[in-house]
Amino acid sequence: MLRDLAYRALAAARELDLRRRAWSGFGMGEQWRAQFDAEVSFANGGGLRTEGFRLDIPGREITDDDLAALFVRHLGLLMVAEVRISAKTIIEEPHKGGRGVAVDGSGADRRLVELSHVISEGMTTLPDWPGPRITEWLTFAASRERYAPGTEFHVARIDMIANTGTYLDTPAHRWAGRDDLTGVSLDRLADLPGVVVRVPAGIRAVDRLMLAPYEVAGQAVLLHTGWDAHFGTERYAGPDAPYLTGDAAQALVDAGAALVGIDSINIDDMSPAAAGVRPAHSALLAAGIPIVEHLTGLDALPPSGFRFTAAPPMVAGMGTFPVRAFAVVNP
């Protein structure tokens, strides 16, 4: 039984990869997930039961045996003697990824995915913090006096706080004397392998258990909460905004994450109950792990298999600054 499950898991993974390559010729195509109940018996005793479990599958049709094999592979279960599947339903739904079944989700061509908010005159990023002022320092008309006939230039000026739009936090933002924008190396900011953690709607606290299925070592870990839909509204800063718990932040530190980003107003809990405590900032920045806040568009990314960049200018003495965050998704 154990050998048969292992064989089926490998075969199912190969089938998933073949279908993924087939999709690459014409875009994503249909994607399917199975919802089912499972009862697991272990060869060394004991068992496990799940209800309403959802799992990526390679196509619309899948046998119970193949689904059981993918389930075992997905959870990384060892010493499985038997898996009984019941209440199986096939759902057309984008793949979420996971151990052994991650799908890169790209089309035929390399594509760039914008993950930044637009910075505009007077915009609100954080409540009660000033928005940017964008003016002209040199107009086209005024420049004509400086240059030869037919030659003119425009130079704008912006006055803003560093925490505007989509921005990066360096250790100097939280800890005096630590690395600022000039001290964080490019290998922490650019061309990082990325993984997206999909946070179910209605979940505020992203905890250690929610991160457990993901391999995060050396990765840009992007928390997709969907909260960017409220950017620029009063609700964006509301007490129900999602955040990363301090315990989960420490788990990312321990696992060796390279960078952590979120599409919410803050990586920490900003509700009155939090009383201004910032455990996620404290743990991540103490470990030299940059933070990107106010991301957007994470729904356009596959679960993994992309490269992430969020590099600010090298401004001495500053701990935060806006970035043009983006991802590269390869076929």
Side-chain angles (χ1 to χ4, degrees):
M1 181 66 181
L2 293 175
R3 179 177 296 177
D4 185 57
L5 276 172
Y7 172 79
R8 288 184 177 276
L10 288 172
R14 290 193 194 99
E15 173 68 14
L16 189 63
D17 184 62
L18 287 172
R19 288 179 179 268
R20 179 174 60 200
R21 294 180 183 182
W23 291 333
S24 68
F26 55 87
M28 281 291 293
E30 297 175 338
Q31 293 188 348
W32 302 91
R33 307 185 81 215
Q35 178 173 306
F36 56 95
D37 299 343
E39 186 173 352
V40 181
S41 299
F42 293 99
N44 57 343
L48 174 70
R49 297 187 64 179
T50 68
E51 295 181 356
F53 196 93
R54 290 196 181 190
L55 186 64
D56 297 352
I57 56 176
R60 193 172 193 170
E61 304 293 334
I62 189 168
T63 67
D64 286 356
D65 286 344
D66 286 343
L67 182 59
L70 277 181
F71 176 72
V72 170
R73 182 181 178 88
H74 178 72
L75 295 183
L77 300 177
L78 301 176
M79 300 295 292
V80 174
E82 184 180 7
V83 179
R84 290 180 291 278
I85 301 291
S86 60
K88 181 176 71 177
T89 304
I90 306 302
I91 304 163
E92 186 175 2
E93 185 175 72
H95 284 168
K96 307 299 183 184
R99 182 182 298 165
V101 292
V103 176
D104 68 11
S106 61
D109 301 318
R110 171 181 179 272
R111 59 189 176 95
L112 297 172
V113 181
E114 179 66 65
L115 303 175
S116 305
H117 289 287
V118 174
I119 294 176
S120 58
E121 170 77 21
M123 67 178 287
T124 298
T125 301
L126 297 164
D128 302 322
W129 291 39
R133 292 183 63 250
I134 302 173
T135 57
E136 293 179 307
W137 181 78
L138 181 67
T139 66
F140 282 120
S143 76
R144 293 168 193 154
E145 301 177 2
R146 301 186 176 199
Y147 301 98
T151 302
E152 59 185 28
F153 294 95
H154 176 269
V155 179
R157 178 171 181 166
I158 185 167
D159 179 13
M160 67 178 183
I161 61 171
N163 290 36
T164 296
T166 304
Y167 56 80
L168 180 98
D169 293 346
T170 69
H173 177 52
R174 171 66 180 86
W175 302 104
R178 295 293 301 275
D179 286 339
D180 63 8
L181 296 171
T182 68
V184 179
S185 62
L186 279 175
D187 61 5
R188 286 282 190 169
L189 306 172
D191 198 33
L192 293 166
V195 60
V196 177
V197 176
R198 308 286 186 197
V199 180
I203 298 295
R204 286 199 66 225
V206 180
D207 58 17
R208 179 186 290 259
L209 191 59
M210 193 172 293
L211 300 175
Y214 300 90
E215 298 291 342
V216 302
Q219 304 275 325
V221 181
L222 308 182
L223 308 178
H224 175 212
T225 71
W227 203 249
D228 57 319
H230 306 298
F231 186 82
T233 71
E234 290 187 4
R235 189 178 180 190
Y236 189 64
D240 51 345
Y243 65 95
L244 182 71
T245 68
D247 187 46
Q250 188 57 53
L252 290 172
V253 171
D254 295 341
L259 176 149
V260 181
I262 192 169
D263 59 358
S264 184
I265 188 168
N266 200 295
I267 203 162
D268 274 298
D269 185 3
M270 287 185 62
S271 68
V277 178
R278 297 290 186 263
H281 273 91
S282 299
L284 293 171
L285 296 179
I289 300 174
I291 299 167
V292 183
E293 293 173 315
H294 312 282
L295 286 164
T296 188
L298 295 180
D299 57 321
L301 291 181
S304 60
F306 60 90
R307 311 292 294 191
F308 177 78
T309 294
M314 296 176 66
V315 185
M318 296 190 70
T320 62
F321 207 83
V323 293
R324 184 74 178 266
F326 64 91
V328 179
V329 181
N330 289 307

